[in-house]
Amino acid sequence: MKWQTLGFDKIKNFFEKTSESGQLGHAYIFSGQEMVGKRTFALEVVNSVNKTDPGDVLRPDCLFIDSGVSESGQTITIEEVRGIKNFVSLSPYAGPYKFVVINDTHLMTTEAQNALLKVLEEPSPSSILILITANPNSLLPTITSRCQEIKFPPHPKSIITDVLKNSGLPKSEAEFLAEFSNGRIGLVKTVIKEKSFGKIKDSVEELVRLIKADINERLTIAQKLTDEKNKPDLMKKVLYWTLYMRMRINEPKARKILDGLVGLHKIITQPQFNHRLALENFLVQL
């Protein structure tokens, strides 16, 4: 296999050996922190195993599902999952396998997970499912027991620094991002591509203001951030807050705030919970 993805040498070696020996499993869970490169790696596995060009990965032998296709943009519903059974029942068109890649699997509703379980209980010999998640504990135990988990570690800082060398970012921003990203190469590449360092700066400044704000102002912000039009950005904002507080871990109160953010992040990545109430509780306790 020829890999474009940086790092993950042990995982690459695993898939090379299992592919060559014909011992690929029927279902995998790709777990690890958000934006570390799990999605990119999954699609590269599809290309490598089926020997397809990167531009052809999503058709006709790969079904890609994520929350972006749902009405809310925040959940993966049973409607998205129901098409999997029909998809994998068809013979592969070009490669040896039909792949189903589900991004952010932890955003699946309970009904969607139960529908997926039925597919996992009767796997097609010519299909492979890859479930991508930053929160594998949110999946039904009956799902995780039927999948092989592949854990993706953060990238070492040396790889992140190499990516940033030719980014065009000012030195101060590149150095900040290398530390801030905590090994999340996907985050670094997205910031470079979208020129969105300013969004990180704005989110950090907002958190600093909230820490100093009174209760009424915090509750007003909670209502604003959980409005329907702002909900899609909430998870990214909380991620930025978490990464920033990790950098400040040795400061007074930083540990308490970081623990609160970790708990908040787990709640808002699961659609069945009240996100506004969770955010209000976090902000009140700042």
Side-chain angles (χ1 to χ4, degrees):
M1 293 181 176
K2 294 182 179 180
W3 302 95
Q4 299 297 320
T5 308
L6 297 174
F8 306 134
D9 291 341
K10 290 183 179 180
I11 302 175
K12 290 175 181 176
N13 185 55
F14 167 79
F15 276 102
E16 286 171 356
K17 288 184 176 180
T18 53
S19 179
E20 290 171 2
S21 63
Q23 295 181 332
L24 286 167
H26 74 278
Y28 296 95
I29 293 175
F30 283 11
S31 65
Q33 63 184 21
E34 291 175 316
M35 303 185 80
V36 76
K38 304 183 298 298
R39 176 185 178 276
T40 300
F41 192 92
L43 295 181
E44 192 159 12
V45 168
V46 176
N47 281 323
S48 298
V49 172
N50 275 353
K51 296 180 174 57
T52 53
D53 295 328
D56 295 330
V57 65
L58 299 182
R59 54 176 198 276
D61 288 335
C62 180
L63 176 64
F64 182 80
I65 297 174
D66 74 354
S67 59
V69 301
S70 69
E71 184 175 341
S72 68
Q74 291 185 289
T75 60
I76 297 174
T77 65
I78 190 172
E79 285 74 19
E80 279 83 61
V81 175
R82 280 175 173 161
I84 294 176
K85 188 172 184 179
N86 181 61
F87 178 80
V88 299
S89 69
L90 302 174
S91 299
Y93 178 79
Y97 294 99
K98 302 280 281 189
F99 278 90
V100 177
V101 179
I102 306 179
N103 194 38
D104 291 335
T105 312
H106 51 271
L107 296 181
M108 296 177 70
T109 63
T110 302
E111 293 79 9
Q113 289 197 44
N114 284 321
L116 179 64
L117 180 59
K118 293 180 180 179
V119 177
L120 292 170
E121 288 173 338
E122 301 176 359
S124 164
S126 60
S127 68
I128 297 176
L129 275 66
I130 301 178
L131 316 182
I132 303 170
T133 180
N135 187 9
N137 292 332
S138 69
L139 302 180
L140 295 173
T142 45
I143 287 180
T144 57
S145 67
R146 288 170 169 80
C147 303
Q148 182 173 353
E149 185 174 4
I150 307 294
K151 297 181 179 180
F152 285 72
H155 289 279
K157 193 173 180 179
S158 58
I159 289 182
I160 301 297
T161 302
D162 285 343
V163 171
L164 285 164
K165 280 182 180 177
N166 299 315
S167 65
L169 289 172
K171 183 179 179 181
S172 60
E173 293 184 3
E175 290 176 348
F176 177 90
L177 193 55
E179 181 66 26
F180 175 84
S181 65
N182 192 31
R184 301 169 189 250
I185 197 169
L187 171 60
V188 172
K189 289 184 174 181
T190 298
V191 171
I192 294 171
K193 180 180 179 181
E194 298 179 356
K195 299 180 179 179
S196 57
F197 185 86
K199 292 183 178 180
I200 293 176
K201 182 180 178 182
D202 291 343
S203 294
V204 168
E205 291 175 348
E206 182 176 38
L207 177 60
V208 172
R209 289 195 304 271
L210 283 167
I211 292 173
K212 299 176 181 179
D214 59 32
I215 295 298
N216 289 331
E217 185 177 351
R218 292 176 187 175
L219 294 178
T220 299
I221 293 297
Q223 180 179 359
K224 177 182 177 182
L225 293 179
T226 51
D227 282 346
E228 287 301 320
K229 64 179 181 180
N230 294 321
K231 273 187 177 181
D233 296 326
L234 179 59
M235 280 189 284
K236 182 175 290 186
K237 190 181 292 287
V238 172
L239 171 62
Y240 289 168
W241 290 353
T242 303
L243 292 174
Y244 176 69
M245 292 312 302
R246 184 194 63 83
M247 295 174 64
R248 321 288 294 194
I249 192 61
N250 293 323
E251 297 182 4
K253 291 182 64 177
R255 169 60 68 181
K256 177 185 176 183
I257 295 174
L258 182 59
D259 288 345
L261 283 166
V262 171
L264 173 62
H265 190 264
K266 287 181 180 179
I267 291 174
I268 65 173
T269 57
Q270 299 181 63
Q272 68 268 32
F273 294 122
N274 187 322
H275 296 175
R276 179 175 173 179
L277 180 59
L279 181 57
E280 287 178 348
N281 287 337
F282 164 73
L283 293 177
V284 166
Q285 297 176 42
L286 275 179

